[in-house]
Amino acid sequence: MRLLLSTLVLALAASTGAAAQAQACGSGGGSTVCLSAGGSAANVQLSWTASGNVRAFEIYRDTDSNPVGRTRIATVDKAARSFADTSAASGTPYWYWVRFTTDAGSYNSGAATATRGAASCTPTPVTPWVNAGSGWAQTSSVTVKTGGSAILGPQAANGGQWSWNGCGTAGASREQTVQPTTACTATATYTNACGAKSQQSFTVQVGGWSNVKWGGGGYVTGLIFHPHTQNLLYARTDIGGAYRWEASTSSWTPITDGFSASESFHQGAESIALDPNNDQLVYMVTGLYSSADATARLYISANRGASWTSVNLPFSAGANNRGRAIGERLMVDPNKPSILFYGSRTAGLWKSADSGRSWAQVTSLSPTRMTAEQLTAAGGSAAGVGVVVYDTGTRGSGSATQTIYAAIAPDYVNVAGLSSNLYRSTNGGASWTPVATPVTGYHIPHMVRAADGMFYVAFTQGMGPGANGPGRLYKFDGTTWTLLKSVDPTQWTSFGFGGLSVHGTGASTRIALGVTNSWGNYNGQQVVQLSNNAGNTWQEIAAVMPHTPANDGFSGWIDDVEIDPFNRDRVLHVHGGGIWETRNASSTTPSWTERVDGLEETATLGLGTPPPGAPYTLINSSGDIGTWVHTDLTTKPTMTTGGDRINGNSADMAWSDPQYIAAVSFSHATNLGRGHWSGDGGKTWAAFATLPAGAAANAGGEANIAVTARNRAIWAPGNSVPSYTLNNGASWTATNLPALPNVNIPRSYRLVADRVNPNKVYAYDSGGAWWGGTSGRVYVSTDGGQTFTLSQGSVAANLRANPFSATWLAVNPYAEGHLWLADGNAIYRSMDSGATWTKLSQFASLWGSRQTWQWPEVQGASAVALGKPAPGASYSAAVYVVGAINGVWGVWRSDDGGANWTRINDDASQFGGIGQIAADHKVYGRVYVSGNGRGILYSH
């Protein structure tokens, strides 16, 4: 009881702010001194009265009422009658005495107590803002180009005072312009009018990376609006991480670029959840492919994705599996946000009661965990528990939401022996009962709750993406189902229902419905259907409506549609290649804009850079979009080999005549390899008249081509003997390179042509795999790639066997016979056309727990490129390597032939790992890399 009473007294003292306490008096030597004390946010204010002849005053303080052990904090003049203690800690109660001296001796006033409080002066929140030249953005991190500058301009804008330190900041101006030469941190301190202080740090990087412009290019599987903060929107993708919308620049900011090479599996975001009570908090479950093993991970950010912590999860995720737009699977309880539920693909429903740090299976729904055999029987990709929805219109109550729905796919229903595709709990997940649905055996891709408590539920037969029908849309009041819309297959179509969003309540509820697997743009087509009267009538708002740009597709995989919770006329939808948005959905002819600025999700399979003087800058070979020739890194390219749904695998140019380009690719439409050539720098293209042996059937990403001169090339199809042409593909002849042994992994020879002496061509066999493969080896041709001889020096080097994708061979275009090789673990160099090889000691793989598997967590050296040398450099080319030095993975550059290395990226620019690389021959220091599902990036 004494503790509770003491706590109450302290609370009352803190709440009174600067109110004076009763006087505490003490007498001696013919004098009396009475002291009072009062606390404020700024200090503890002491005042006293004195009678008699007092010669001096001293101020003492302690944290209890016992004067033993007290501390003198000041000596004041005999005329003083007050003192401000600014050194008192906020929230701590203190006892004070005035010791006074008379002619007869020294005596004490009574003890007065006070607490310096914060209740009367709350620190002002500081919001970070940065302008790096493209407008203001709400962020605390910025990268400036070398020699460039940025303005740091935090808010609040009025009142109070600012002070700064770091990055060359100075003075008391709120806005600070910084122009650092190296990475630094600037810290702003804001003192408000009542004296409370707030701090905000800004992380400033120098140099940095930018995307080569494409725009979209991949599948955005979900859009997630924060329900209570305007313009706070996130996008999750199947292989390229996640993004946050920046309203000030109408562009997307990638928020997973800090994921390292060891986190490449987690570049797929299966579900994102936002805390309705805290708009800084973001949860994201990742993992590219589902399995019976525990491979998923939960990432948690307390600053809108600027930084992350992670937790390994006891189940798997499948961000790039079928059904990847179903959801959201992850949900935060709006009333008690420490509770999260997650619907997994193979292991049922899971719950966390500690904000995601630990998880337990909700066995009351089902304890079933699918086995590997059951997953295979389900087609290798189960949808499982796909949607979790809370039935509540409140938030922040502190009590867990009691009514919860879980939508369950047919695959898990069958394996777990459940009786419905929809289950409900009315006790916070402790127990579950099946809900009878109007159709059975369908998927429920989305289930949304309107503000009035009505549920809208989409049913569709297929899993998606681009789920086939039949499709049904119902509303559900907890008891009764009402059919709102249906679609059934016809002779030529099999539309399904995918995306679903609602806005408003009652009879005027607006519903946006994505009609998926509906391809094309014509009158009568259904792509995005809109109802303004809770589903009584419908109109099409996407097909045959104005789109900018007009020639980009927008139909197909309409598996997510979202209405802005703050603007019912703003509707966004995904389609397989990015995001479309209208801001006038109420119009009879809504206009749509492609919203993909900053969003780059192409999967790069090959990069090529021409010699100085070429009319283009870069050749880009990517999955699904084909091969493109870039003349401007900041605008979307227009020159391409053409075709729909094409994987561009590789391209090369004649170094002496870069107008001639040869490219190899794969057509999803025909399932066959293709070859094309251009004689005018990519403006026009023609197909090769014939294909070499193996090229049509073996057209995976390991297929590659090397060009020695106009009309002359060597083509290495996957798992095949390379062939050469001397007549621009009119005929092909097999080289004498040996056939590659089958090690159950795609492989090929990697071919490169010597740029100084095109009669020399080099072929690298990486060995295939660390299991069952042979040591890597290099073959050399001196007749333009017709016949090859094994380099005995490469055999003696004992190159490690590794997959094609983890190895590399490159030539120095400025020195004949200078070869650089990455065998996955280390870098090797040859200065004599491959006759002898030197291993560089700096690079080494990071093994972690995989040493016994002989499979590193991070490859020591997986890619190498050579570009324009530094002015006055001792070596004829700048060398760039993707790998690890002293345990640090990154992109490294050497200007002295490999003696010294400088890392040119940072931890915020790792892009989930890097596959392809090419160096610029016009600009020193510029290198192009492929992020993991992040398109092409270049250094500056």
Side-chain angles (χ1 to χ4, degrees):
M1 179 60 75
R2 178 181 298 174
L3 177 61
L4 293 176
L5 180 59
S6 174
T7 302
L8 176 60
V9 169
L10 293 179
L12 289 173
S15 69
T16 60
Q21 306 296 311
Q23 287 189 326
C25 300
S27 300
S31 297
T32 298
V33 174
C34 295
L35 173 66
S36 62
S40 70
N43 53 49
V44 173
Q45 186 68 43
L46 306 179
S47 60
W48 59 89
T49 61
S51 64
N53 184 22
V54 177
R55 292 193 295 154
F57 294 106
E58 298 168 281
I59 312 300
Y60 283 78
R61 186 180 75 190
D62 205 346
T63 54
D64 57 47
S65 60
N66 188 343
V68 177
R70 65 185 182 176
T71 301
R72 185 176 65 185
I73 60 173
T75 299
V76 297
D77 187 82
K78 67 179 181 179
R81 293 296 183 268
S82 65
F83 175 79
D85 181 11
T86 59
S87 66
S90 297
T92 300
Y94 290 96
W95 280 260
Y96 293 86
W97 296 263
V98 172
R99 181 177 175 85
F100 57 97
T101 301
T102 70
D103 291 336
S106 295
Y107 308 90
N108 293 312
S109 71
T113 184
T115 301
R116 180 178 179 176
S120 61
C121 184
T122 302
T124 302
V126 175
T127 304
W129 288 88
V130 171
N131 188 339
S134 58
W136 288 99
Q138 185 177 328
T139 179
S140 61
S141 62
V142 62
T143 298
V144 298
K145 295 182 179 180
T146 302
S149 64
I151 304 172
L152 312 180
Q155 304 280 359
N158 300 311
Q161 295 180 333
W162 293 90
S163 62
W164 290 83
N165 65 76
C167 291
T169 54
S173 173
R174 176 178 66 86
E175 292 188 359
Q176 296 281 316
T177 300
V178 296
Q179 190 174 9
T181 57
T182 60
C184 58
T185 299
T187 301
T189 301
Y190 179 68
T191 305
N192 65 16
C194 63
K197 297 180 183 296
S198 309
Q199 282 194 330
Q200 176 64 54
S201 293
F202 293 82
T203 302
V204 184
Q205 301 289 344
V206 179
W209 298 79
S210 295
N211 268 108
V212 175
K213 176 69 174 180
W214 171 266
Y219 189 27
V220 176
T221 50
L223 298 167
I224 303 94
F225 273 104
H226 193 280
H228 302 293
T229 298
Q230 193 167 3
N231 281 322
L232 186 53
L233 169 66
Y234 295 84
R236 59 178 172 91
T237 74
D238 51 3
I239 65 168
Y243 295 78
R244 184 186 65 246
W245 175 251
E246 302 292 350
S248 61
T249 57
S250 295
S251 63
W252 296 92
T253 293
I255 57 175
T256 51
D257 278 357
F259 284 22
S260 68
S262 64
E263 295 172 287
S264 61
F265 185 76
H266 299 285
Q267 274 289 92
E270 182 170 68
S271 191
I272 288 178
L274 309 177
D275 185 340
N277 306 279
N278 178 358
D279 66 8
Q280 298 292 309
L281 195 55
V282 185
Y283 297 93
M284 177 173 64
V285 171
T286 67
L288 285 172
Y289 301 104
S290 61
S291 66
D293 301 318
T295 57
R297 185 175 291 173
L298 173 69
Y299 285 85
I300 306 169
S301 174
N303 49 17
R304 298 186 178 183
S307 61
W308 300 90
T309 58
S310 64
V311 176
N312 290 328
L313 296 174
F315 46 82
S316 67
N320 199 35
N321 282 133
R322 291 185 302 134
R324 50 194 180 271
I326 292 174
E328 291 297 314
R329 298 172 176 272
L330 178 65
M331 295 298 291
V332 178
D333 188 332
N335 288 302
K336 192 173 184 180
S338 59
I339 295 177
L340 287 76
F341 279 90
Y342 191 80
S344 75
R345 287 177 173 265
T346 63
L349 184 65
W350 292 76
K351 177 183 177 180
S352 171
D354 56 5
S355 300
R357 270 66 182 181
S358 62
W359 292 81
Q361 189 183 37
V362 183
T363 55
S364 56
L365 177 64
S366 173
T368 300
R369 301 180 68 120
M370 295 178 72
T371 65
E373 292 75 18
Q374 289 171 327
L375 185 58
T376 299
S381 178
V385 181
V387 182
V388 177
V389 184
Y390 291 99
D391 186 5
T392 181
T394 63
R395 62 183 174 120
S397 71
S399 299
T401 302
Q402 294 301 293
T403 302
I404 311 168
Y405 287 89
I408 307 168
D411 46 42
Y412 192 76
V413 167
N414 294 334
V415 170
L418 300 175
S419 59
S420 177
N421 290 105
L422 186 65
Y423 275 72
R424 175 170 52 203
S425 173
T426 57
N427 52 16
S431 62
W432 297 79
T433 57
V435 177
T437 56
V439 293
T440 59
Y442 284 54
H443 293 88
I444 299 176
H446 291 282
M447 175 178 178
V448 295
R449 182 186 187 276
D452 58 5
M454 183 67 72
F455 287 96
Y456 295 82
V457 187
F459 294 87
T460 200
Q461 188 177 79
M463 187 188 302
N468 58 288
R472 300 287 185 268
L473 176 67
Y474 285 85
K475 67 179 180 180
F476 176 57
D477 63 6
T479 303
T480 303
W481 295 88
T482 303
L483 180 64
L484 302 180
K485 190 171 178 62
S486 64
V487 62
D488 291 294
T490 70
Q491 181 180 1
W492 307 110
T493 68
S494 184
F495 299 168
F497 290 155
L500 176 63
S501 184
V502 300
H503 189 285
T505 63
S508 61
T509 300
R510 169 166 282 186
I511 309 171
L513 176 66
V515 182
T516 192
N517 202 37
S518 59
W519 302 90
N521 180 28
Y522 52 85
N523 285 320
Q525 171 68 309
Q526 299 181 64
V527 177
V528 178
Q529 292 275 291
L530 190 74
S531 173
N532 290 309
N533 50 20
N536 287 328
T537 60
W538 296 87
Q539 67 186 82
E540 173 60 31
I541 62 169
V544 304
M545 301 302 168
H547 282 74
T548 303
N551 59 345
D552 277 22
F554 59 86
S555 62
W557 293 357
I558 317 300
D559 295 318
D560 192 34
V561 176
E562 296 296 332
I563 304 173
D564 186 337
F566 288 86
N567 180 2
R568 68 196 303 266
D569 274 346
R570 183 187 182 195
V571 179
L572 301 96
H573 76 81
V574 305
H575 68 104
I579 301 165
W580 285 94
E581 177 193 76
T582 180
R583 299 218 174 190
N584 60 343
S586 296
S587 170
T588 55
T589 56
S591 55
W592 294 81
T593 301
E594 195 172 27
R595 291 299 187 195
V596 292
D597 284 349
L599 197 162
E600 300 286 346
E601 206 210 343
T602 55
T604 310
L605 303 177
L607 294 171
T609 50
Y616 54 94
T617 301
L618 179 71
I619 305 177
N620 161 19
S621 299
S622 291
D624 292 336
I625 65 172
T627 297
W628 295 79
V629 179
H630 296 258
T631 59
D632 183 346
L633 302 179
T634 63
T635 60
K636 189 170 183 174
T638 59
M639 297 189 297
T640 177
T641 58
D644 183 37
R645 297 172 57 233
I646 301 298
N647 281 4
N649 291 326
S650 173
D652 195 23
M653 77 295 299
W655 200 252
S656 60
D657 182 8
Q659 296 276 11
Y660 182 82
I661 308 171
V664 298
S665 59
F666 165 77
S667 169
H668 291 279
T670 64
N671 280 332
L672 296 174
R674 316 182 318 157
H676 287 78
W677 66 276
S678 173
D680 54 12
K683 295 178 182 177
T684 60
W685 293 84
F688 284 127
T690 64
L691 299 179
N698 298 282
E702 66 280 0
N704 65 105
I705 194 167
V707 174
T708 58
R710 182 175 281 264
N711 300 331
R712 297 190 172 208
I714 307 94
W715 185 341
N719 304 298
S720 304
V721 172
S723 296
Y724 66 90
T725 181
L726 305 177
N727 52 19
N728 201 28
S731 62
W732 297 84
T733 304
T735 68
N736 68 330
L737 286 165
L740 295 172
N742 183 6
V743 291
N744 295 318
I745 189 171
R747 63 186 299 191
S748 179
Y749 285 97
R750 191 180 293 274
L751 302 171
V752 292
D754 196 297
R755 300 308 197 183
V756 178
N757 181 357
N759 286 322
K760 290 184 177 179
V761 179
Y762 311 98
Y764 171 38
D765 168 18
S766 68
W770 48 83
W771 68 90
T774 57
S775 296
R777 50 192 61 198
V778 176
Y779 298 80
V780 181
S781 170
T782 58
D783 58 5
Q786 299 180 47
T787 59
F788 288 82
T789 301
L790 174 63
S791 161
Q792 293 299 328
S794 70
V795 176
N798 193 29
L799 304 174
R800 179 175 170 83
N802 260 318
F804 179 90
S805 61
T807 59
W808 208 272
L809 180 66
V811 297
N812 181 346
Y814 313 113
E816 180 180 346
H818 283 209
L819 303 176
W820 291 75
L821 184 150
D823 76 342
N825 280 22
I827 288 291
Y828 294 80
R829 180 187 63 202
S830 173
M831 302 299 187
D832 52 13
S833 301
T836 60
W837 293 85
T838 300
K839 180 180 180 180
L840 276 64
S841 61
Q842 298 96 333
F843 293 90
S845 293
L846 308 181
W847 295 94
S849 61
R850 297 178 178 175
Q851 183 73 56
T852 56
W853 305 349
Q854 299 187 25
W855 172 24
E857 290 185 356
V858 176
Q859 301 287 164
S862 58
V864 58
L866 293 92
K868 182 178 180 177
S874 60
Y875 186 60
S876 56
V879 185
Y880 303 87
V881 171
V882 177
I885 295 179
N886 294 327
V888 178
W889 178 91
V891 184
W892 301 84
R893 185 189 69 231
S894 175
D895 295 323
D896 56 11
N900 297 282
W901 296 88
T902 300
R903 189 186 185 202
I904 63 171
N905 72 318
D906 56 30
D907 287 349
S909 305
Q910 302 188 84
F911 316 118
I914 290 171
Q916 302 297 314
I917 187 171
D920 200 289
H921 302 286
K922 304 175 185 179
V923 180
Y924 163 71
R926 177 173 291 173
V927 63
Y928 304 90
V929 300
S930 66
N932 192 350
R934 278 282 289 115
I936 304 168
L937 302 111
Y938 64 96
S939 58
H940 50 70

